[in-house]
Amino acid sequence: MKESGYEAEVLEELQPLNLETFVITSFRLEVIDRVKQLSPQITVCFLIDAKTIDLLPDANSLNEKLNAIAVDFLAPNWQILDHPIVAQLSPQIFWVWTVNEAIVMQQLIAEARSHDRQIAAIITDEPEMGFAMASSRNAANPD
């Protein structure tokens, strides 16, 4: 959700759907907060990009807000994964976006498998490349 003020209408439209089939994401904490207030069982994700990372408060203040809202996971842009604020955020479960470069995708898949970071998903415009990499890694490392 890119703008605030229509959270209730969106949730009403989503009512017939299975809650486990979607996630509401936003760059705006007030949107995520309102969604959780209206429907606490819905999975929400805070999106973070290079434009907004420097506008965020320090990691401790942001963590307090994220915990108060009960944000389920974070989705940082892959280019800011090593930003000091991102490294300190909680929850540390990430959906990383938008990864279209093979080398970056390989690194993130390796990190996810090594549990260095809790990368639960990689968002890409190149899903075939991602599936091929994941499949080849599964064949090489069946554990």
Side-chain angles (χ1 to χ4, degrees), residues 73 92-96 112 117-122:
F73 61 91
Q92 283 277 322
I93 299 169
F94 294 144
W95 282 21
V96 182
R117 251 187 267 243
Q118 292 196 342
I119 298 173
I122 297 173

Side-chain angles (χ1 to χ4, degrees), residues 34-65:
R34 181 75 175 133
V35 167
K36 277 293 197 180
Q37 288 175 18
L38 293 169
S39 190
Q41 71 278 17
I42 288 184
T43 303
V44 296
C45 168
F46 181 50
L47 296 165
I48 309 169
D49 66 2
K51 292 178 185 175
T52 59
I53 190 72
D54 292 326
L55 300 175
L56 296 173
D58 64 271
N60 289 334
S61 299
L62 183 55
N63 277 329
E64 288 176 17
K65 289 180 183 181

Side-chain angles (χ1 to χ4, degrees), residues 97-108:
W97 59 277
T98 298
V99 181
N100 293 329
E101 297 176 28
I103 191 147
V104 174
M105 194 175 292
Q106 287 173 334
Q107 291 169 340
L108 293 173

